[in-house]
Amino acid sequence: MNQLKEQSQWDVIIVGGGATGLGIALDSTTRGYKTLLLEQVDFAKGTSSRSTKLVHGGVRYLAQGNIDLVKEALYERGLMLKNASHLVRNQSFIIPNYKWWDAFLYTVGLKIYDFLAGKLSFGTSLRISKNETASRLKTIKQENLKGGVVYHDGQFDDSRLAVNIAQTAIEQGATVLNHFKVEKLLKNEAGIVNGVVAKDAETNTVYSLNAKVVINATGVFSDDILQMDDALAKNSIRPSQGVHLVLDKSFLPGNDAIMIPKTDDGRVLFLVPWHNRVVVGTTDTLLDSHSLEPTALDKEIEFILETANRYLIKQVTKNDVLSIFAGLRPLAAPKDKSEKTKEISRSHKIIVSKSGLITITGGKWTTYRRMAQDTLNKAIELGKLPASKCKTKNLLIHGADGSTDTSQHLYIYGSDTKGIRQLIDESPELGEKIHPRLEFIKAEVVWAIRNEMARTVEDVLARRVRVLFLDAEAAIEISPMIATMLAKELHKDNEWKQGQISNFIEIASRYVIKN
């Protein structure tokens, strides 16, 4: 907080601490601008922790003929693998073919995908026989199976990467604060936005902060900020909900992911290995409103179960779901009723308001770095910042250590793993598991509080140690223990601790399927 008291004038204030906002903070500070990022809850609390966990060019955008978007995303995918090697990895996908024609079609399409990736390709796509498909996908239905097509894309841990980008930005000189809500925009006599009024949620202290440029990177909350600027602003965002189910590894025991290219709602469905579990999704449901905790609809759950069960011999029921999570995509509002969400462009869009407020919307995790670059280039073009070139193309993200050994679960910490091991050396009890069903240990919780800005039980269990997304009931069971550890580290009283437990249980109950 000292930085806020000492620094009266910032070059760039970013509102929103998801992938886009954090990417902008990192790009801004490395260009030499005095940079402040404010996130109302926690980094990646919204959409950025609720993705399909893929770093990808978007095979389905290729089918829609959106070559430029695919090419840009494939290039960025290659940079993410190089710059965050501890969190991004090469994942093989198999498309099972039940018609001869499909095998031909997907092979040709994926050869184009390979070609567009150029030197940053993750591997060549190829057709495989029925026998090989069946042996690699042990749980796939074999009746009428003709073979499969293998291709490569990226897989990652989304909120872990967000935290590491925040740490990198701080190391590069930015001030990055979570649990800090922007309540108002400040303007000069000419009506130009020149700062924000923000409240520290922990102390209730209110700050007036000035800047040369304010960037709205709040995703599905973009309209809230645009309406602070202009009360009559029309909604530019229509949230589309994507739901994912998390299952035990036995539903997909190998190393390959499955991609089902055609479902009843026209989207693709993925079954992806993740943290020794399987993530299955996603859906595409237009909503009229947005919230910090979107809830999966029954029809979305049924759609995923029904579609997965058409392909799997091991049938999935609601009882098998370890966790369910919903995320909102910030899509451009459809122009008319006929425009379907899957046809709305996923490329990002920069809006400059009359007041000089810059808003970045759309896009996806894979292109976060490019979105940041384009946003700051726009601010320079508008004369709001002195010219300075982007430096993030080859910048390593905090934790990147070049290692690809994923044999033990601490690999996601990369170069920080030794710090966690040191905590255990100093206090051996921190080597204990936090739950008998889970691989995670107490040292990870302490590390998250001391080194990763975790301030609440939810910060720890949802976005640092991913228990809520992997086993929601286990997360509820251990919440009192996590609250006790937090209270001790943060010097909080019993009332605070009890509040934390009840808040978390209320949120976590949405991740459990009610039968």
Side-chain angles (χ1 to χ4, degrees), residues 59-70:
V59 173
R60 74 190 180 88
Y61 308 135
L62 193 62
Q64 293 167 7
N66 200 336
I67 302 288
D68 287 346
L69 177 63
V70 175

Side-chain angles (χ1 to χ4, degrees), residues 119-337:
K119 283 188 287 201
L120 293 172
S121 169
F122 277 32
T124 312
S125 57
L126 69 154
R127 280 170 74 168
I128 55 172
S129 67
K130 174 183 175 174
N131 286 347
E132 190 179 342
T133 305
S135 80
R136 285 173 72 165
L137 302 175
K138 297 271 190 290
T139 49
I140 200 83
K141 279 188 178 160
Q142 293 188 40
E143 194 184 338
N144 297 323
L145 183 67
K146 303 288 189 281
V149 180
V150 181
Y151 74 97
H152 293 262
D153 242 328
Q155 187 258 36
F156 79 136
D157 187 313
D158 46 13
S159 71
R160 292 282 333 154
L161 182 57
V163 169
N164 286 164
I165 295 169
Q167 289 170 304
T168 316
I170 291 165
E171 286 157 9
Q172 296 286 336
T175 299
V176 174
L177 302 171
N178 54 353
H179 300 284
F180 236 93
K181 187 173 168 61
V182 168
E183 297 191 323
K184 190 181 157 193
L185 297 175
L186 296 172
K187 295 183 179 181
N188 66 14
E189 307 76 59
I192 300 299
V193 169
N194 65 353
V196 301
V197 174
K199 185 179 185 178
D200 178 348
E202 291 184 75
T203 63
N204 289 329
T205 310
V206 176
Y207 296 84
S208 285
L209 305 156
N210 292 100
K212 290 176 186 168
V213 61
V214 175
I215 296 171
N216 172 15
T218 55
V220 289
F221 294 89
S222 294
D223 287 332
D224 298 2
I225 306 293
L226 285 165
Q227 280 150 14
M228 279 182 196
D229 176 40
D230 173 4
L232 302 175
K234 282 203 179 108
N235 279 353
S236 62
I237 299 289
R238 182 80 193 271
S240 154
Q241 178 159 289
V243 164
H244 297 83
L245 309 182
V246 179
L247 309 173
D248 181 76
K249 186 80 179 106
S250 59
F251 288 93
L252 188 63
N255 297 319
D256 300 294
I258 297 176
M259 194 265 242
I260 296 163
K262 284 201 183 94
T263 64
D264 293 346
D265 83 340
R267 288 189 65 84
V268 298
L269 192 81
F270 289 102
L271 291 85
V272 184
W274 188 62
H275 287 303
N276 211 30
R277 318 287 189 293
V278 183
V279 175
V280 188
T282 179
T283 55
D284 196 352
T285 311
L286 267 182
L287 300 182
D288 291 320
S289 62
H290 57 266
S291 73
L292 276 166
E293 273 301 334
T295 306
L297 306 173
D298 286 341
K299 66 175 185 182
E300 293 179 298
I301 297 167
E302 295 299 340
F303 166 76
I304 293 175
L305 290 173
E306 200 181 300
T307 308
N309 281 332
R310 279 185 211 167
Y311 292 86
L312 298 177
I313 45 177
K314 183 170 176 165
Q315 293 293 283
V316 191
T317 68
K318 284 183 177 178
N319 291 334
D320 297 310
V321 177
L322 298 170
S323 182
I324 176 163
F325 59 92
L328 302 177
R329 304 175 192 90
L331 300 187
K335 293 181 200 71
D336 55 50
K337 290 257 172 28

